[in-house]
Amino acid sequence: MPKLPYIVHITERSLWEAARERGAYEMSTRGRTLQEDGFVHFSTRDQLPRVAEFLYGGYDGPDQLIVLVVDPARVGAPVKYESAVPGGEEFPHVYGPVPVEAVVDVETWG
């Protein structure tokens, strides 16, 4: 079975630090939780610049922005590529908490 490519998620450092203490990351997207959306939004490496601009363009918050690099094989929850509209661009979604062990790298953004 071919190895799935890593997926990425942009977030604020404090949210990642809190997740490390809990053992799992549960923010879906900026200002929304897994419980609210039902999944955690991810992107591919190619999609990341557009997603970052959409979510954090002009960001001047107190936290540094980081990118979580996740190995989908380590997530332990369904990973589905879906689009918001029929025939639209598909983005990876993780249908459950992301264990900290699934995060293979943390990169700074910006």
Side-chain angles (χ1 to χ4, degrees):
M1 186 161 117
K3 182 176 167 125
L4 295 172
Y6 290 161
I7 55 178
V8 293
H9 177 88
I10 189 165
T11 191
E12 299 161 49
R13 185 173 293 281
S14 64
L15 296 173
W16 169 238
E17 294 300 329
R20 288 180 59 202
E21 291 178 17
R22 286 190 313 274
Y25 182 82
E26 297 187 22
M27 290 301 296
S28 178
T29 190
R30 185 176 185 186
R32 308 260 320 155
T33 66
L34 166 64
Q35 291 72 25
E36 290 171 313
D37 285 353
F39 56 86
V40 179
H41 289 268
F42 276 84
S43 61
T44 65
R45 194 57 89 167
D46 289 342
Q47 294 167 329
L48 182 60
R50 286 179 287 124
V51 170
E53 178 61 30
F54 176 74
L55 293 174
Y56 289 98
Y59 175 78
D60 64 353
D63 281 343
Q64 178 182 43
L65 295 178
I66 59 170
V67 176
L68 305 179
V69 181
V70 171
D71 182 348
R74 296 184 185 184
V75 170
V79 178
K80 300 178 183 178
Y81 283 73
E82 302 170 307
S83 98
V85 296
E89 183 176 17
E90 293 185 341
F91 291 84
H93 298 148
V94 173
Y95 281 84
V98 178
V100 295
E101 297 82 20
V103 179
V104 297
D105 199 9
V106 177
E107 303 168 352
T108 57
W109 182 262

